[in-house]
Amino acid sequence: MAFSFLYLAVRALLGALVRSRRGLHVKDVELLVLRHELEILRRQIARPKLRMVDRALLAAAACHLPRSSRGVRLVTPRTLLRWHQTMVRRKWRQASGQRGRPSLPAEVRELVLRLARENPRWGHRRICGELAKLGFRVSPTSVRRLLAQAKLEPAPRRSGPSWPEFLQAQAASIVACDFFTVESVLLRRYYALFFIAHGSRRVWLAGCTANPTGAWVTQQARNLGLDFSDQGIRFLIRDRDSKYSGPFDDVVRSEGIRTVKTPVRAPKANAIAER
């Protein structure tokens, strides 16, 4: 009984508003019905599936809506951000298949281990040269990795600390630099140059540009030279990228900092900045 009375009252109120000149228009009632139907669908479907055309239309129309009503729409700002991240992942997605170098044949692995055991003073480069004489083309890196997996030292330990020992002892005076990329809304790539301290993990963001040149990188190093001198930095670890030109090393050297270049294609040598 009460529900019927409420229904008749709402119906009469809407009819009076539609018939009045300053009341609701028929289109307003239609929008009210459509919004209520949308709320019903939202309660039944947790996450509707949208096509690319639907996403493009909703994203373009959402930009012109009032900020106060964006949070209650089907497409929220968080949804637009997720769509952009999906587009970036699709852009850089690699085709499935075998990645990396092919593994060494079993006979080559056995031969490498045999040469290492029978000749304890041979290093990985000497073993690589002996394999080349026998007609096997194997890189020194593969030989060194195989010996490390077999718990075999490639040669008697040379004088001086190892690379991990050097990094641990000089962590407070070491800074590493590298680039990372950022994708814009229009999927344009920007390069950001940063420096990170090994001891404190403090990060200096030098700058960001779409076209990093040698002159630009040198200027960023010149801007951060005073900060490094105050921190007591003595070593700068960098890779062999061509953007680090000769003037860049000169600027670093003028601040009393020694540049340490990592080996070719060895990101683990600059693991603090590469990770």
Side-chain angles (χ1 to χ4, degrees):
M1 185 66 181
F3 182 78
S4 300
F5 176 77
L6 180 61
Y7 164 74
L8 294 176
V10 173
R11 179 179 176 180
L13 178 61
L14 291 177
L17 292 176
V18 170
R19 288 190 296 269
S20 62
R21 294 183 178 180
R22 297 184 180 181
L24 294 177
H25 196 268
V26 177
K27 292 185 178 180
D28 297 331
V29 179
E30 184 179 0
L31 290 176
L32 180 62
V33 174
L34 291 176
R35 288 183 178 180
H36 189 69
E37 290 179 349
L38 181 59
E39 291 296 332
I40 296 175
L41 293 177
R42 285 180 177 178
R43 292 197 297 264
Q44 297 178 0
I45 303 176
R47 189 174 182 179
K49 296 182 180 180
L50 302 178
R51 297 177 298 178
M52 292 300 298
V53 179
D54 301 330
R55 294 182 177 183
L57 179 60
L58 293 175
C63 298
H64 302 282
L65 293 176
R67 185 178 297 271
S68 58
S69 63
R70 293 180 183 178
V72 297
R73 298 294 176 182
L74 183 63
V75 179
T76 61
R78 181 177 299 179
T79 305
L80 297 178
L81 181 60
R82 188 178 70 251
W83 289 350
H84 177 261
Q85 294 174 351
T86 303
M87 294 174 62
V88 173
R89 286 195 299 267
R90 289 180 179 177
K91 177 182 177 181
W92 298 108
R93 182 178 299 171
Q94 299 180 357
S96 59
Q98 184 178 2
R99 301 178 182 178
R101 298 179 180 178
S103 58
L104 295 177
E107 57 177 349
V108 177
R109 296 171 62 92
E110 295 178 0
L111 183 58
V112 170
L113 297 178
R114 178 183 174 184
L115 291 175
R117 293 190 180 99
E118 295 180 356
N119 304 275
R121 300 189 63 85
W122 284 9
H124 59 278
R125 295 188 180 276
R126 175 66 182 276
I127 296 176
C128 183
E130 296 297 331
L131 292 175
K133 296 178 182 179
L134 299 176
F136 298 102
R137 297 181 59 86
V138 183
S139 66
T141 304
S142 299
V143 175
R144 182 176 56 186
R145 185 181 300 110
L146 179 59
L147 295 178
Q149 293 175 356
K151 306 297 182 181
L152 293 176
E153 294 292 337
R157 189 178 184 277
R158 297 173 176 83
S159 60
S162 62
W163 183 249
E165 293 173 349
F166 168 77
L167 294 180
Q168 185 177 3
Q170 304 292 336
S173 59
I174 295 178
V175 164
C177 65
D178 202 356
F179 286 88
F180 68 89
T181 59
V182 179
E183 300 290 337
S184 65
V185 177
L186 301 179
L187 300 183
R188 185 181 181 185
R189 186 193 301 181
Y190 288 89
Y191 296 85
L193 175 64
F194 72 97
F195 296 80
I196 180 171
H198 276 213
S200 61
R201 296 298 194 272
R202 178 184 176 184
V203 177
W204 292 269
L205 182 60
C208 183
T209 180
N211 184 23
T213 60
W216 182 85
V217 175
T218 303
Q219 182 60 38
Q220 307 311 313
R222 187 177 293 109
N223 296 339
L224 292 176
L226 296 178
D227 292 343
F228 291 160
S229 60
D230 296 339
Q231 297 292 330
I233 303 301
R234 297 176 52 196
F235 301 96
L236 172 65
I237 300 177
R238 67 170 180 85
D239 54 21
R240 298 177 181 269
D241 198 323
S242 59
K243 291 185 284 293
Y244 303 111
S245 57
F248 175 84
D249 294 335
D250 295 338
V251 171
V252 174
R253 192 180 303 109
S254 64
E255 299 295 336
I257 302 175
R258 177 184 174 185
T259 302
V260 180
K261 300 180 182 179
T262 60
V264 179
R265 296 182 180 180
K268 292 184 178 180
N270 194 10
I272 301 297
E274 290 283 352
R275 66 178 182 178

